[in-house]
Amino acid sequence: MNGREVNIVLKYEQIANDIRNKIVNDTFSVNSQLPLEKEIMKEYNVSRITVKKAYDILVEEGLIIKRRGRGTFVKDIDEDTALLFAKSRQFLGFSTNMAQSSIETKVSFFQVELPDEDVQKKLKIGPNDWVYHFIRTRYKDGQPVVIEYTFMPMELIPGITMEVLENSIYHYVEEDLKLKIQSAHRIITAYTPNEEQKKLLKLKDNVPVVNVEEITFLDTGKPFSFTQNVHNSEIFQYVSITTK
Amino acid sequence: MNGREVNIVLKYEQIANDIRNKIVNDTFSVNSQLPLEKEIMKEYNVSRITVKKAYDILVEEGLIIKRRGRGTFVKDIDEDTALLFAKSRQFLGFSTNMAQSSIETKVSFFQVELPDEDVQKKLKIGPNDWVYHFIRTRYKDGQPVVIEYTFMPMELIPGITMEVLENSIYHYVEEDLKLKIQSAHRIITAYTPNEEQKKLLKLKDNVPVVNVEEITFLDTGKPFSFTQNVHNSEIFQYVSITTK
DNA sequence: TAGTGGTCTAGACCACCGG
DNA sequence: CGGTGGTCTAGACCACTAA
């Protein structure tokens, strides 16, 4: 047996999942040394490069560090923080991300229009390419959390309806249109909300908003969504890890 | 000849650099197909996995996309944006990051103290482990840009002086102490500045600040710095890429 | 069906670390 | 010096795409 991907779960994913669980469960505790690559090779009966790839995933997630000549170790952070950051690596839609709690969506604006210059530039389309333009407010447990101002090219993502908007666009794009979402570019800024935003998000006086500008790409390399996500800064944080 | 790392520049880095340059220079233009892995193998006389690793770097940087069964393509974004995001992947100190312009640093507070509970938790130290505590304001072209409130464990990073603070701590840690900085965990939030911050950053009324809380780790896995970076939101943006 | 990138193996030399 | 992870090779089978 040589070929891979026979199982849906890849070997390096399986190993990474196992070890991530053991770190979160404290089976491998903070600062402790993890099994050598050689040991994992034997335990899972895989080659060394496969072990390396599994460990590299956890390095990217900020959970572990590797030192040449020494070994691999659990990073010195508490489990809560570890989990927070590990989760942040996962690429999820905004509704999917909060699976547990009750999520509601109100669509306050929805039309098809021609794009202005900024939208043309961000979505890489021409002035005569129609776009959906819609505004949604998301509620978690009855409280407004974020306003989303979105543009999507009609040609690339046809068939958007109110029903789609009230549920998950990501689900529609991936499951119904069978397209693959590949990456997102984000620019985070902050500013004072205008009156409408203040009202929609039920903000107290002097509470700013965090603006997450997001361009989302399909696996074709084409941008399919340009969104300004305006968050209540009192209940929002953006989490990020950088590795050298 | 088989071994690697003989040259300081690794093969996959060299290939990634070449191709990145050609994308930025428009030799490989937006949406165009890049050479097949097979072709790069011949051109550079390397194995396929090495080519794959080089291309994967550019995928992480958000510059290109790969499609099984099709090939590898330049992402459909303008060169300016591409460069902005590619740069954001690079791990640099804040002074290093703005190499071109004139950077000034004013140290307004500097003492050694015992850490409170939050600092203990973030730096993973005990209540009796002394820490440096200092506050710096950074100026770019004469304008205040960011206030940094930093705690560093004395035991890990000895010998901090005013002179070090007025220059680059990163440089001191890496070049003088010969320690290696490996990763940073960041949490981005926003809020209304207090009077002192407003004054230090010369903020107009109703301009919020962006707070980047940053814990920086050595290659030993130990946190060596806990900083709150308070930015003027009118001139600051945080850039981030997520890949599935 | 031909050709792409994705995963995986077995084996090699290397740089770095500690005793 | 022995042992670690880092890089790299040559070769294999696989899933997916397009014609």
Side-chain angles (χ1 to χ4, degrees), chain B residues 89-103:
Chain B
R89 286 285 312 169
Q90 292 168 32
F91 191 94
L92 295 170
F94 322 90
S95 45
T96 339
N97 228 333
M98 312 189 157
Q100 321 300 13
S101 357
S102 74
I103 296 290

PDB file of all heavy atoms in Angstrom, chain B residues 89-103:
ATOM      1  N   ARG B  89       3.790  39.149   5.951  1.00  0.00           N
ATOM      2  CA  ARG B  89       4.197  37.837   6.428  1.00  0.00           C
ATOM      3  C   ARG B  89       5.553  37.910   7.107  1.00  0.00           C
ATOM      4  O   ARG B  89       5.889  37.073   7.918  1.00  0.00           O
ATOM      5  CB  ARG B  89       4.297  36.839   5.267  1.00  0.00           C
ATOM      6  CG  ARG B  89       2.987  36.366   4.730  1.00  0.00           C
ATOM      7  CD  ARG B  89       2.343  35.370   5.666  1.00  0.00           C
ATOM      8  NE  ARG B  89       3.295  34.337   6.091  1.00  0.00           N
ATOM      9  CZ  ARG B  89       3.060  33.478   7.049  1.00  0.00           C
ATOM     10  NH1 ARG B  89       1.943  33.513   7.708  1.00  0.00           N
ATOM     11  NH2 ARG B  89       3.954  32.573   7.377  1.00  0.00           N
ATOM     12  N   GLN B  90       6.330  38.889   6.723  1.00  0.00           N
ATOM     13  CA  GLN B  90       7.676  38.956   7.272  1.00  0.00           C
ATOM     14  C   GLN B  90       7.627  39.412   8.717  1.00  0.00           C
ATOM     15  O   GLN B  90       6.896  40.305   9.078  1.00  0.00           O
ATOM     16  CB  GLN B  90       8.543  39.888   6.420  1.00  0.00           C
ATOM     17  CG  GLN B  90       8.800  39.317   5.050  1.00  0.00           C
ATOM     18  CD  GLN B  90       9.400  40.343   4.109  1.00  0.00           C
ATOM     19  OE1 GLN B  90      10.127  41.215   4.506  1.00  0.00           O
ATOM     20  NE2 GLN B  90       9.054  40.230   2.835  1.00  0.00           N
ATOM     21  N   PHE B  91       8.421  38.771   9.528  1.00  0.00           N
ATOM     22  CA  PHE B  91       8.408  38.978  10.961  1.00  0.00           C
ATOM     23  C   PHE B  91       9.466  40.005  11.317  1.00  0.00           C
ATOM     24  O   PHE B  91      10.648  39.721  11.283  1.00  0.00           O
ATOM     25  CB  PHE B  91       8.715  37.654  11.636  1.00  0.00           C
ATOM     26  CG  PHE B  91       8.477  37.674  13.100  1.00  0.00           C
ATOM     27  CD1 PHE B  91       7.272  37.243  13.598  1.00  0.00           C
ATOM     28  CD2 PHE B  91       9.445  38.148  13.958  1.00  0.00           C
ATOM     29  CE1 PHE B  91       7.042  37.255  14.959  1.00  0.00           C
ATOM     30  CE2 PHE B  91       9.212  38.163  15.321  1.00  0.00           C
ATOM     31  CZ  PHE B  91       8.013  37.717  15.823  1.00  0.00           C
ATOM     32  N   LEU B  92       9.033  41.209  11.655  1.00  0.00           N
ATOM     33  CA  LEU B  92      10.006  42.264  11.898  1.00  0.00           C
ATOM     34  C   LEU B  92       9.640  43.090  13.113  1.00  0.00           C
ATOM     35  O   LEU B  92       8.474  43.226  13.457  1.00  0.00           O
ATOM     36  CB  LEU B  92      10.079  43.200  10.688  1.00  0.00           C
ATOM     37  CG  LEU B  92      10.594  42.595   9.387  1.00  0.00           C
ATOM     38  CD1 LEU B  92      10.385  43.553   8.253  1.00  0.00           C
ATOM     39  CD2 LEU B  92      12.071  42.255   9.539  1.00  0.00           C
ATOM     40  N   GLY B  93      10.624  43.608  13.773  1.00  0.00           N
ATOM     41  CA  GLY B  93      10.382  44.578  14.834  1.00  0.00           C
ATOM     42  C   GLY B  93       9.784  45.832  14.228  1.00  0.00           C
ATOM     43  O   GLY B  93       9.786  46.021  13.012  1.00  0.00           O
ATOM     44  N   PHE B  94       9.293  46.666  15.087  1.00  0.00           N
ATOM     45  CA  PHE B  94       8.512  47.816  14.636  1.00  0.00           C
ATOM     46  C   PHE B  94       9.423  48.871  14.073  1.00  0.00           C
ATOM     47  O   PHE B  94       9.072  49.586  13.141  1.00  0.00           O
ATOM     48  CB  PHE B  94       7.683  48.312  15.804  1.00  0.00           C
ATOM     49  CG  PHE B  94       7.215  47.113  16.554  1.00  0.00           C
ATOM     50  CD1 PHE B  94       7.977  46.581  17.579  1.00  0.00           C
ATOM     51  CD2 PHE B  94       6.102  46.436  16.127  1.00  0.00           C
ATOM     52  CE1 PHE B  94       7.595  45.403  18.194  1.00  0.00           C
ATOM     53  CE2 PHE B  94       5.727  45.260  16.744  1.00  0.00           C
ATOM     54  CZ  PHE B  94       6.457  44.743  17.781  1.00  0.00           C
ATOM     55  N   SER B  95      10.631  48.993  14.604  1.00  0.00           N
ATOM     56  CA  SER B  95      11.561  49.962  14.047  1.00  0.00           C
ATOM     57  C   SER B  95      12.105  49.439  12.721  1.00  0.00           C
ATOM     58  O   SER B  95      12.177  50.177  11.747  1.00  0.00           O
ATOM     59  CB  SER B  95      12.707  50.226  15.019  1.00  0.00           C
ATOM     60  OG  SER B  95      13.205  49.025  15.561  1.00  0.00           O
ATOM     61  N   THR B  96      12.430  48.167  12.681  1.00  0.00           N
ATOM     62  CA  THR B  96      12.948  47.574  11.456  1.00  0.00           C
ATOM     63  C   THR B  96      11.948  47.685  10.320  1.00  0.00           C
ATOM     64  O   THR B  96      12.306  47.804   9.156  1.00  0.00           O
ATOM     65  CB  THR B  96      13.251  46.071  11.658  1.00  0.00           C
ATOM     66  OG1 THR B  96      13.405  45.820  13.044  1.00  0.00           O
ATOM     67  CG2 THR B  96      14.478  45.658  10.900  1.00  0.00           C
ATOM     68  N   ASN B  97      10.674  47.643  10.712  1.00  0.00           N
ATOM     69  CA  ASN B  97       9.617  47.598   9.714  1.00  0.00           C
ATOM     70  C   ASN B  97       9.518  48.875   8.897  1.00  0.00           C
ATOM     71  O   ASN B  97       8.968  48.882   7.805  1.00  0.00           O
ATOM     72  CB  ASN B  97       8.282  47.321  10.410  1.00  0.00           C
ATOM     73  CG  ASN B  97       7.516  46.223   9.727  1.00  0.00           C
ATOM     74  OD1 ASN B  97       7.683  46.024   8.539  1.00  0.00           O
ATOM     75  ND2 ASN B  97       6.676  45.527  10.464  1.00  0.00           N
ATOM     76  N   MET B  98      10.012  49.967   9.448  1.00  0.00           N
ATOM     77  CA  MET B  98       9.867  51.246   8.763  1.00  0.00           C
ATOM     78  C   MET B  98      11.244  51.797   8.451  1.00  0.00           C
ATOM     79  O   MET B  98      11.538  52.948   8.703  1.00  0.00           O
ATOM     80  CB  MET B  98       9.118  52.226   9.657  1.00  0.00           C
ATOM     81  CG  MET B  98       7.858  51.629  10.271  1.00  0.00           C
ATOM     82  SD  MET B  98       6.870  52.859  11.098  1.00  0.00           S
ATOM     83  CE  MET B  98       5.250  52.052  11.065  1.00  0.00           C
ATOM     84  N   ALA B  99      12.059  50.956   7.896  1.00  0.00           N
ATOM     85  CA  ALA B  99      13.465  51.250   7.722  1.00  0.00           C
ATOM     86  C   ALA B  99      13.720  52.606   7.046  1.00  0.00           C
ATOM     87  O   ALA B  99      14.607  53.345   7.447  1.00  0.00           O
ATOM     88  CB  ALA B  99      14.132  50.143   6.919  1.00  0.00           C
ATOM     89  N   GLN B 100      12.917  52.904   6.067  1.00  0.00           N
ATOM     90  CA  GLN B 100      13.164  54.093   5.241  1.00  0.00           C
ATOM     91  C   GLN B 100      13.093  55.397   6.041  1.00  0.00           C
ATOM     92  O   GLN B 100      14.029  56.180   6.057  1.00  0.00           O
ATOM     93  CB  GLN B 100      12.138  54.171   4.103  1.00  0.00           C
ATOM     94  CG  GLN B 100      11.767  52.852   3.470  1.00  0.00           C
ATOM     95  CD  GLN B 100      12.959  52.110   2.854  1.00  0.00           C
ATOM     96  OE1 GLN B 100      14.114  52.457   3.089  1.00  0.00           O
ATOM     97  NE2 GLN B 100      12.684  51.073   2.083  1.00  0.00           N
ATOM     98  N   SER B 101      11.951  55.581   6.714  1.00  0.00           N
ATOM     99  CA  SER B 101      11.701  56.882   7.319  1.00  0.00           C
ATOM    100  C   SER B 101      12.506  57.080   8.599  1.00  0.00           C
ATOM    101  O   SER B 101      13.095  56.168   9.142  1.00  0.00           O
ATOM    102  CB  SER B 101      10.212  57.030   7.628  1.00  0.00           C
ATOM    103  OG  SER B 101       9.492  55.907   7.190  1.00  0.00           O
ATOM    104  N   SER B 102      12.485  58.299   9.094  1.00  0.00           N
ATOM    105  CA  SER B 102      13.190  58.608  10.334  1.00  0.00           C
ATOM    106  C   SER B 102      12.346  58.183  11.517  1.00  0.00           C
ATOM    107  O   SER B 102      11.200  58.572  11.653  1.00  0.00           O
ATOM    108  CB  SER B 102      13.455  60.113  10.391  1.00  0.00           C
ATOM    109  OG  SER B 102      12.266  60.800  10.683  1.00  0.00           O
ATOM    110  N   ILE B 103      12.915  57.334  12.345  1.00  0.00           N
ATOM    111  CA  ILE B 103      12.218  56.825  13.523  1.00  0.00           C
ATOM    112  C   ILE B 103      12.876  57.392  14.778  1.00  0.00           C
ATOM    113  O   ILE B 103      14.096  57.375  14.908  1.00  0.00           O
ATOM    114  CB  ILE B 103      12.315  55.280  13.570  1.00  0.00           C
ATOM    115  CG1 ILE B 103      11.599  54.651  12.376  1.00  0.00           C
ATOM    116  CG2 ILE B 103      11.734  54.755  14.884  1.00  0.00           C
ATOM    117  CD1 ILE B 103      10.118  54.776  12.407  1.00  0.00           C
TER     118      ILE B 103
END
